[in-house]
Amino acid sequence: MERMTKIGMVGVALIMLAACGKGIPSYDATGTFEATEVIVSAEAAGKLLRLEVEEGTRLKAGEEIGLVDTVQLYLKKLQLEASMKSVESQRPDLAKQIAATKQQIATAEREKKRVENLLAAGAANQKQLDDWDAQVKLLERQLVAQESSLQNSTNSLIEQGNSVAIQVAQMEDQLAKCHVQSPIEGTGLAKYAEAGELAAIGKPLFKVAEVDRMYLRAYITSEQLSQVKLGDEVTVYADYGNSEQKAYPGVVTWISDRSEFTPKTILTKNERANLVYAVKIAVKNDGALKIGMYGGVTLKN
């Protein structure tokens, strides 16, 4: 197996040398094209009512393409909303509840004032005034106690209402998660479930890739590392085989901060180097680039 690998590597090297002899650019590094891939999993459990995605389907970010059964969650939300209305209806009307006591206080104060006037005229005694004074103070204490009790009851109901409101918000969030959406704009690569199946939280539904913007993952030697920095504009070549290449402008977007052993399927300018650094080069896809396609890069435009 090792012998076959060596033979394969020698063969690829000979092809590259032959290509250089035909006027095809000499690559400083080679690699494969990749894209940002996202596996979208179910966020809700239930029967999958629909999943409108196939391999090659163009998807927009935020586009709804599937739905998990929402009946039970919706009924639970209705139940919580009814509970919230019930709690709201129990909240006391503070002004109306204490209106009678306030009226009694006002009446007692008028009587007290009347007795004061009579006492001044000698038509009443001090005991009558003291009785009305005591009555006013008693009613005022009753009003304070009544207001405190009603306020405590109101605060308790407010807290209950807030608790139910939070539960309603949780139901709304769970209902929203029943609507399967594409997180990015791209192309469907694989479909893992079908309508009618039972979805479980975390179960993969489909895979989508952002193929409009591709990346060439190439490997460079430590000698080449000094020639590359983030933001550099380079030339990327897509290798279609049969000496057919196509050039694309690319930008270096990532350079690994650690070295690694040379992958067996990768050729670098210095094949004798044991350690290489991975780089990612962003390329705008015109539709011809495919995930896994081989490509090369020249570090100087």
Side-chain angles (χ1 to χ4, degrees), residues 51-55 57 59 65 188-191 193 205-207:
L51 186 61
E52 300 167 352
V53 61
E54 299 293 342
E55 295 180 3
T57 302
L59 303 173
I65 55 176
L189 296 184
K191 185 177 182 181
L205 299 178
F206 67 96
K207 181 193 290 187

Side-chain angles (χ1 to χ4, degrees), residues 108-124:
E109 287 179 340
R110 285 197 301 271
E111 289 297 323
K112 176 184 175 183
K113 185 65 175 178
R114 186 179 66 84
V115 172
E116 286 178 347
N117 293 334
L118 292 173
L119 182 62

